[in-house]
Amino acid sequence: MVPGPARRRPTLTDVATAAGVAASTVSRAFTNPARVNAHTREHVLSVAARLGYAPNPAARALESGRTRTLALLVPDITNPYFAGVIKGAERAAAAAGLTLVLGDTQESASVEEQLVRRLGPSVDGLVLAASRLPDDGLRRAAEENAIVLLNRATTGVDCVVADFDSGTRQIVDHLASHGHESFVFLGGPAGSWSGARRWRGLQGSAAERGLDATRFGPYTPTLEGGPAAADAALAAGATALVCHNDMLAIGVLRRLAQRGVAVPERVSVVGFDDIFGADFCSPPLTTLAEHTRDAGARAVEVLVQQSRTTETASWVLPTQLVIRASTGPAPGR
Amino acid sequence: MVPGPARRRPTLTDVATAAGVAASTVSRAFTNPARVNAHTREHVLSVAARLGYAPNPAARALESGRTRTLALLVPDITNPYFAGVIKGAERAAAAAGLTLVLGDTQESASVEEQLVRRLGPSVDGLVLAASRLPDDGLRRAAEENAIVLLNRATTGVDCVVADFDSGTRQIVDHLASHGHESFVFLGGPAGSWSGARRWRGLQGSAAERGLDATRFGPYTPTLEGGPAAADAALAAGATALVCHNDMLAIGVLRRLAQRGVAVPERVSVVGFDDIFGADFCSPPLTTLAEHTRDAGARAVEVLVQQSRTTETASWVLPTQLVIRASTGPAPGR
DNA sequence: CGTCACATGGCAAGCGTTTGCCATTCTTTG
DNA sequence: CAAAGAATGGCAAACGCTTGCCATGTGACG
């Protein structure tokens, strides 16, 4: 048994010859059952099965112009936040009989643009998760391809986003209920769309509830960004920290532990995302959960539907504050 | 601006017409520069650029039979262990100008088989990570497609595996150096190839070093599997626990904390994989690190090379014990 | 029993590229 | 200066499949 480069796959024509019918009949037996006699069809299918025939997707794609393939571009595959998105997208794609191509944009707009260009022609549509592209770049991409944005929005492009308005209100309410009268937002990258939405939401809710909200940063939204963020907040005497995301929050938690600052006794810490690990870091993190799996799935569903309609829409997914041990009463209450 | 289903892409022929040359010339201008006059080529390329021409991958694939696409199948995309593998594979694929298709086998042999069948015809090769397929299933798949196994091995199929022999020896040495005279291996799923390798390695090294090794399980290798595993080990009076993987180990740590068992004072805990979170769980976990990113990258490199050679080979990647706070001296030393 | 509609199968023309082969022109070389 | 090559461009045939259209055969209907 030579493990070599695979023997030649049987083609439509091979099946046709073997079954003693025309190629078109074989084709129709597969794609248009109503168009061929039940007997012939059965015969053809059995011959095809015997030969181990499988249609060549490239040939189909050539003819139809559709590849039955979707692309999902994420800024960083290893970021656990996107793991759920990927899973959801993969499931939804598989359920629709579509193939999912994955791309890692390395948090870079230029890599993202390049990937869109490279992948665009060979897929039926793309999901751009937390896209770094500028608005006009997105619109341009949307002219060439079917596109759905995930946690990013711009007019003229379909998008599915988490409900940050409700989410940030939940956070502020939670802090307020614990007697906190102010908090610091440890912000992520300057250009982050969701970061901006988070801060806007927090600010709004804080104003409503009469809390003082201050924004620090930007900080790298990774574990490594934690120390700088934590130290800055500590220096400012903050008692409640809302972090751009869980990565940063966990980094902050580690720094606080290192500096002997009791959480939640002296400061409360809140994150965003509820990533893997948020429930077993120490202390477990209070954080705003998105249903990332649903988000990924929804995005591909929207993409699949997209062809049928023409106006663009935006889909909002619920968020939920998961309260764990990293938040508690304001000091002195 | 209608966001509709994308305007028609210009084709080779469009470019040829616009440039006033034959299609073959345009084709060669792109793929075989030496074959056309530098002047013509430049002209063609500029026209192509003006029209925004990009070759149709499906047509190329039809002609050449190669899709310039690879598939990576993993048991569970959300398992952080595979995140590194995916990242490495994506990078390596992108570097080689290849597209990476991702599939989630949901830890199921049948889903995996189905995916291989579905994806096989449309890719140039597949990487099966921690495959659940039986040996003969793998060999059969390898007859149809170029295949590389990751952390799984069987004769007749290329594979890249972590160096479990050295890794398990490092673990046993570490425990022995802390005066442990025995340990319990909390095993994962019965059919797990890497689980078997791990246990075999542990057993061997334990025998060499004169330690007593016992295997418990199987347990589900997830956080949820932790409590049962921890309780069993506790009931047996174990003082050192080596867990099938970090997920299980972290689950075990949580259970031990819950039961008030001091780690590492009363029991030491070791994991496998060094996943995201292993360094910030509590206490941070001593674990055997694989270079998952390298592994993913190596797998696709092997796949890319594969066509050139015919005999199969196996590639061993180094492992390294990362010592953190979950292990310490045996009680009473 | 002739007509017609319908069911069924086959033919052939693409889909966008690549590539073997031939024709033409331009260089070399003896 | 003739002849042999090189260089360059074009033609047309694939690659495997889908699909519009036509041909044939069948049963139904008047």
Side-chain angles (χ1 to χ4, degrees), chain A residues 191-218:
Chain A
S192 164
W193 184 89
S194 65
R197 291 296 307 265
R198 288 166 184 189
W199 170 236
R200 202 180 79 190
L202 287 168
Q203 248 184 328
S205 306
E208 276 178 31
R209 295 286 184 270
L211 300 213
D212 239 38
T214 322
R215 178 185 196 166
F216 282 21

Side-chain angles (χ1 to χ4, degrees), chain A residues 126-204:
Chain A
L126 326 234
V127 174
L128 305 186
S131 175
R132 257 65 166 168
L133 255 29
D135 283 5
D136 63 326
L138 288 175
R139 274 190 290 269
R140 216 171 322 124
E143 286 175 41
E144 295 284 331
N145 296 100
I147 289 207
V148 171
L149 265 23
L150 195 50
N151 270 352
R152 171 69 191 270
T154 190
T155 60
V157 185
D158 276 342
C159 62
V160 357
V161 297
D163 187 350
F164 289 126
D165 289 339
S166 150
T168 49
R169 189 168 321 114
Q170 292 176 57
I171 292 174
V172 172
D173 284 347
H174 173 61
L175 292 177
S177 78
H178 269 321
H180 290 274
E181 293 172 348
S182 69
F183 64 86
V184 162
F185 177 61
L186 299 171
S192 164
W193 184 89
S194 65
R197 291 296 307 265
R198 288 166 184 189
W199 170 236
R200 202 180 79 190
L202 287 168
Q203 248 184 328

Side-chain angles (χ1 to χ4, degrees), chain B residues 22 24-25 28 35 37 40 62-63:
Chain B
S24 46
T25 303
R28 287 196 269 253
R35 195 60 181 63
N37 185 294
T40 341
L62 215 212
E63 166 65 28

Side-chain angles (χ1 to χ4, degrees), chain B residues 30-286:
Chain B
F30 279 94
T31 59
N32 197 354
R35 195 60 181 63
V36 342
N37 185 294
H39 269 82
T40 341
R41 170 152 196 264
E42 204 168 326
H43 174 224
V44 167
L45 292 188
S46 81
V47 171
R50 180 158 53 73
L51 263 46
Y53 166 75
N56 178 329
R60 279 194 161 162
L62 215 212
E63 166 65 28
S64 66
R66 7 209 65 260
T67 57
R68 302 199 58 72
T69 296
L70 263 31
L72 168 63
L73 266 37
V74 299
D76 175 11
I77 294 175
T78 52
N79 182 333
Y81 171 79
F82 293 111
V85 172
I86 299 177
K87 181 97 168 187
E90 202 275 342
R91 285 288 182 91
L98 302 174
T99 300
L100 217 224
V101 162
L102 186 65
D104 184 320
T105 66
Q106 300 170 46
E107 321 254 4
S108 142
S110 71
V111 174
E112 183 172 352
E113 194 188 341
Q114 217 173 299
L115 272 173
V116 170
R117 235 203 308 272
R118 201 164 75 70
L119 260 23
S122 39
V123 300
D124 291 345
L126 326 231
V127 174
L128 305 185
S131 175
R132 257 66 167 168
L133 254 28
D135 284 5
D136 62 326
L138 288 176
R139 274 191 288 269
R140 217 172 320 123
E143 285 175 42
E144 296 284 331
N145 296 101
I147 289 207
V148 171
L149 265 23
L150 194 50
N151 272 351
R152 172 69 192 271
T154 188
T155 60
V157 186
D158 277 342
C159 62
V160 358
V161 297
D163 187 350
F164 289 126
D165 289 339
S166 151
T168 49
R169 190 167 322 115
Q170 292 176 54
I171 293 173
V172 172
D173 284 347
H174 173 61
L175 291 177
S177 78
H178 269 321
H180 289 273
E181 294 172 347
S182 69
F183 65 85
V184 162
F185 176 60
L186 298 171
S192 165
W193 185 87
S194 64
R197 290 298 305 267
R198 289 165 184 188
W199 170 234
R200 202 180 79 189
L202 288 168
Q203 248 184 327
S205 307
E208 276 177 30
R209 295 286 183 269
L211 300 213
D212 240 39
T214 322
R215 178 183 196 167
F216 281 21
Y219 299 105
T220 337
T222 61
L223 296 183
E224 290 68 39
D231 287 1
L234 245 28
T239 59
L241 314 181
V242 180
C243 307
H244 173 80
N245 69 8
D246 284 353
M247 298 279 246
L248 182 58
I250 293 172
V252 163
L253 286 177
R254 291 217 290 184
R255 177 59 169 179
L256 293 176
Q258 192 183 2
R259 294 195 46 179
V261 178
V263 176
E265 292 76 9
R266 252 188 73 201
V267 304
S268 288
V269 176
V270 181
F272 277 90
D273 296 347
D274 193 23
I275 61 173
F276 175 85
D279 62 335
F280 63 73
C281 56
S282 145
L285 186 65
T286 294

